[in-house]
Amino acid sequence: YNDIISFYEADAEQLPFPDNSFDIIYSNMVLGMIPNQMATIKELARIIRPGGTIAISVHGPDHYKEAIEAGLKSLKIRYYFSHRLEYWPRDEKKIKTFFTDAGLDKIRTERLTWIDKFENGGQVFDFFSASTGLWWYHRLPSELRNKEAEKTRIYFQHKNINQITSDVVFAVGYKPIDLL
């Protein structure tokens, strides 16, 4: 299968592939980590073949809102804000604009939102930390990581954070086939 599937590490804003290289591109929850999202969507449009499909999913505006709010209130801000939160979330209108501006056609978007309920805040924290990897903790000095994680877990329990909202925007678009 080596000739069917390949893995690359690359800058999403400057992909190392020729124009019109792929039939299908799928990106799942990546756009929120990229500074120039429009440049990335244009890169995807550049490397997709005419008639090809680009499908993405992104964090919606309410994604993990309870856990993020609790995390912001409990973490040492100097460590947490070393990340660029303005890259996400995105709503359907913004994603559709990205696709339109990249020259894609037949664009469809759908936003799905649901709430998961838990018995207590500790379970919410456990779910949140398992599903996000607590990506901000890598900025903490190693001697503080476990202490800060436990402090945050206790905060979730104390504030009785017992639910977490998942909010995902899905989008699909096609590169037009130029008819001469």
Side-chain angles (χ1 to χ4, degrees), residues 99-113:
F99 275 34
T100 300
D101 290 351
L104 299 177
D105 198 6
K106 299 178 187 168
I107 300 163
R108 292 188 323 248
T109 62
E110 183 171 347
R111 180 176 171 199
L112 297 176
T113 304

Side-chain angles (χ1 to χ4, degrees), residues 63-95:
H63 191 70
Y64 285 10
K65 65 183 179 182
E66 304 88 352
I68 290 171
E69 182 178 319
L72 284 170
K73 289 179 179 178
S74 66
L75 292 170
K76 291 186 184 299
I77 298 302
R78 69 183 177 150
Y79 299 120
Y80 193 79
F81 278 118
S82 61
H83 293 278
R84 305 292 301 266
L85 296 177
E86 72 268 22
Y87 299 157
W88 71 282
R90 296 295 183 207
D91 59 24
E92 290 174 274
K93 182 178 177 184
K94 185 65 171 178
I95 298 303

Side-chain angles (χ1 to χ4, degrees), residues 111-130:
R111 180 176 171 199
L112 297 176
T113 304
W114 65 95
I115 295 174
D116 291 303
K117 302 273 187 179
F118 296 84
E119 289 181 27
N120 59 58
Q123 289 181 349
V124 173
F125 177 80
D126 293 344
F127 173 82
F128 181 54
S129 64

Side-chain angles (χ1 to χ4, degrees), residues 13-179:
E13 296 174 19
Q14 298 177 337
L15 295 167
F17 305 107
D19 294 356
N20 307 319
S21 295
F22 299 96
D23 294 318
I24 299 171
I25 295 173
Y26 175 67
S27 172
N28 180 30
M29 301 299 183
V30 173
L31 203 59
M33 306 298 171
I34 298 169
N36 190 339
Q37 296 171 344
M38 188 64 236
T40 297
I41 299 298
K42 284 183 177 180
E43 271 296 278
L44 298 180
R46 178 186 67 77
I47 64 172
I48 197 80
R49 291 185 180 116
T53 305
I54 297 175
I56 68 169
S57 62
V58 298
H59 298 101
D62 291 331
H63 191 70
Y64 285 10
K65 65 183 179 182
E66 304 88 352
I68 290 171
E69 182 178 319
L72 284 170
K73 289 179 179 178
S74 66
L75 292 170
K76 291 186 184 299
I77 298 302
R78 69 183 177 150
Y79 299 120
Y80 193 79
F81 278 118
S82 61
H83 293 278
R84 305 292 301 266
L85 296 177
E86 72 268 22
Y87 299 157
W88 71 282
R90 296 295 183 207
D91 59 24
E92 290 174 274
K93 182 178 177 184
K94 185 65 171 178
I95 298 303
K96 189 169 187 176
T97 299
F98 283 162
F99 275 34
T100 300
D101 290 351
L104 299 177
D105 198 6
K106 299 178 187 168
I107 300 163
R108 292 188 323 248
T109 62
E110 183 171 347
R111 180 176 171 199
L112 297 176
T113 304
W114 65 95
I115 295 174
D116 291 303
K117 302 273 187 179
F118 296 84
E119 289 181 27
N120 59 58
Q123 289 181 349
V124 173
F125 177 80
D126 293 344
F127 173 82
F128 181 54
S129 64
S131 61
T132 65
L134 296 180
W135 47 267
W136 54 86
Y137 279 111
H138 81 277
R139 299 280 189 173
L140 289 170
S142 58
E143 65 274 7
L144 291 180
R145 281 187 199 128
N146 289 340
K147 180 181 173 185
E148 287 297 312
E150 186 57 26
K151 183 181 91 175
T152 304
R153 190 175 196 281
I154 290 168
Y155 183 88
F156 275 58
Q157 290 172 307
H158 177 71
K159 293 296 183 179
N160 198 26
I161 312 292
N162 63 1
Q163 69 180 37
I164 193 163
T165 300
S166 294
D167 185 7
V168 181
V169 175
F170 299 92
V172 63
Y174 303 88
K175 188 172 188 174
I177 299 172
D178 293 330
L179 301 175

